[in-house]
Amino acid sequence: MKPDDPLLKILACPLDKGPLHLLPEEAGQEEARQEEALYNPRLHRRYPIVDGIPQLLPSSGEQVPDDVHEELLKRMAP
């Protein structure tokens, strides 16, 4: 998914219905590689994007701890 994809403007968190932010894929060491995802910084929830399809069921999201939240804020696409 690209940061300028019009779909990003209409996607919303299934829990609070607020906007989501794209976390672009990051290359790096194999075990440290970060997959593309959508992030809700208000609830600290990350939703995966699998084969270009956002997984936006409430059960698909994962709660992230505060230290990971800070790291994800740095990765958020402008």
Side-chain angles (χ1 to χ4, degrees), residues 19-40:
L20 295 168
H21 300 275
L22 179 64
L23 298 172
E25 184 174 11
E26 280 191 348
Q29 296 176 351
E30 184 116 357
E31 63 276 355
R33 186 171 167 227
Q34 298 292 319
E35 298 294 329
E36 188 176 39
L38 294 171
Y39 187 59
N40 179 340

Side-chain angles (χ1 to χ4, degrees), residues 1-9 11 21-25 36-38 49 52 54 77-78:
M1 185 172 275
K2 298 191 186 293
D4 60 348
D5 191 325
L7 184 61
L8 284 173
K9 293 180 182 176
L11 291 177
H21 300 275
L22 179 64
L23 298 172
E25 184 174 11
E36 188 176 39
L38 294 171
I49 298 175

Side-chain angles (χ1 to χ4, degrees), residues 45-67:
R45 291 189 66 83
R46 176 175 40 200
Y47 296 93
I49 298 175
V50 179
D51 294 329
I53 301 170
Q55 307 297 305
L56 294 177
L57 293 173
S59 60
S60 297
E62 71 170 320
Q63 193 75 29
V64 299
D66 288 338
D67 59 329

